Amino acid sequence: MQHKDIKKIIILLGIPGSGKGTQARKLVERYNYTHISTGDLLRALDSDPEADPVDKQMLEDMKTGHLVADTLIYKLAFAEIKKQLDDNRGVILDGAIRSVEQAKAYHDFFEKEDVLDDVLVIDIKLDNETAYRRLTKRKICSDCGHIIPFSQKNEDIMTCEKCGGVLTVREDDNDETIKLRLEEQGEKMIAPIAAYYDALGVLQTVDGSLDIETVDGTVIDVLEA
Ligand code: AMP
């Protein structure tokens, strides 16, 4: 099906558990874009036996709920974005920007790639309590890393719908680390980034507390407006 032309670079902002990954996967299906989740890239690095040990050492921060070094994020994310843009394919960036400093570094990168006019940012708003509830109940596939968001429909699922792998709990989805992530990567972290993009005139906001399909509908409306 043909869809209206949308921006090539869609940046999803939101606190952990706000549904960035879930919405990104829906957009990938609809627009045939590539989903770039820095969290997924970092977890893939962690399970790659051939990865650079210096890079792997930096993942300790992730396991304890802290942000990892900017240099590692830029190395992983910029290479992936460039590859997709060179293939003339759009990207959905999920959790890729977690400070104003990072936002500025991405801005410089987009300027260099001559795609600044092709950026749209969507902030998926959610309160901490709902996020906490979702994070304690979601599952991840131990084989392919697919994340299964919490919903009544998914409550009793034990195997991955994509690859049949066994579902487990993400290493950083335990009570203590979730609380720390919501503190460090919550609205306090998002607000200045959203303000930065608002000043650039590229920010849209959606209500992430509604059910998955409703949020998806709103995101599509925003993209195709
Ligand atoms: P996520 O899968 O998006 O929840 O990310 C999991 C973890 O990866 C985060 O808690 C951070 O430790 C790390 N991470 C992901 N993206 C970034 C980023 N842009 N900057 C710093 N750390 C990140």
Side-chain angles (χ1 to χ4, degrees):
M1 203 186 3
Q2 262 318 90
H3 299 293
K4 269 178 91 170
D5 270 353
I6 62 164
K7 299 281 188 189
K8 268 252 138 70
I9 296 160
I10 315 296
I11 297 173
L12 298 183
L13 289 182
I15 67 173
S18 58
K20 299 183 297 292
T22 303
Q23 293 305 324
R25 281 185 286 276
K26 289 202 148 293
L27 297 177
V28 162
E29 260 174 47
R30 184 176 175 91
Y31 299 109
N32 199 19
Y33 275 28
T34 297
H35 178 194
I36 302 181
S37 149
T38 39
D40 284 353
L41 291 174
L42 294 167
R43 283 183 288 277
L45 183 74
D46 193 35
S47 51
D48 177 359
E50 298 190 351
D52 183 337
V54 178
D55 287 352
K56 277 190 138 174
Q57 184 57 37
M58 293 195 217
L59 298 175
E60 286 311 307
D61 287 330
M62 174 173 78
K63 293 177 187 169
T64 48
H66 300 291
L67 292 178
V68 307
D70 289 350
T71 46
L72 183 58
I73 296 298
Y74 303 154
K75 177 173 160 182
L76 296 173
F78 293 175
E80 191 55 36
I81 298 169
K82 185 158 172 41
K83 191 165 92 192
Q84 300 304 325
L85 293 177
D86 287 349
D87 277 354
N88 201 24
R89 188 184 280 256
V91 292
I92 320 276
L93 301 186
D94 158 12
I97 298 171
R98 302 198 191 205
S99 66
V100 172
E101 204 180 350
Q102 287 188 5
K104 288 180 179 164
Y106 276 81
H107 186 90
D108 291 347
F109 168 72
F110 294 144
E111 191 165 39
K112 207 169 80 214
E113 296 298 319
D114 200 20
V115 287
L116 263 190
D117 288 344
D118 238 320
V119 174
L120 179 72
V121 182
I122 301 181
D123 185 7
I124 306 178
K125 290 275 181 211
L126 190 69
D127 62 281
N128 273 13
E129 266 165 54
T130 314
Y132 176 83
R133 216 170 337 111
R134 288 184 186 175
L135 290 171
T136 49
K137 291 185 175 170
R138 73 179 178 184
K139 302 169 192 168
I140 187 169
C141 174
S142 50
D143 285 346
C144 74
H146 177 55
I147 288 177
I148 293 89
F150 172 73
S151 72
Q152 227 142 37
K153 183 174 106 234
N154 292 340
E155 210 167 356
D156 300 322
I157 297 179
M158 314 283 280
T159 51
C160 178
E161 57 202 354
K162 292 237 150 105
C163 74
V166 177
L167 299 184
T168 175
V169 175
R170 228 171 82 170
E171 198 174 351
D172 57 351
D173 276 349
N174 60 72
D175 180 69
E176 191 188 344
T177 313
I178 290 173
K179 284 185 179 146
L180 208 137
R181 275 156 66 213
L182 285 173
E183 172 62 30
E184 194 175 309
Q185 304 178 38
E187 195 48 36
K188 208 165 57 187
M189 180 196 85
I190 300 292
I193 307 173
Y196 170 83
Y197 285 120
D198 197 22
L200 291 177
V202 294
L203 180 76
Q204 296 286 342
T205 300
V206 303
D207 179 356
S209 71
L210 306 171
D211 64 275
I212 292 172
E213 299 307 327
T214 308
V215 179
D216 181 42
T218 318
V219 169
I220 290 168
D221 287 346
V222 162
L223 288 176
E224 299 191 0

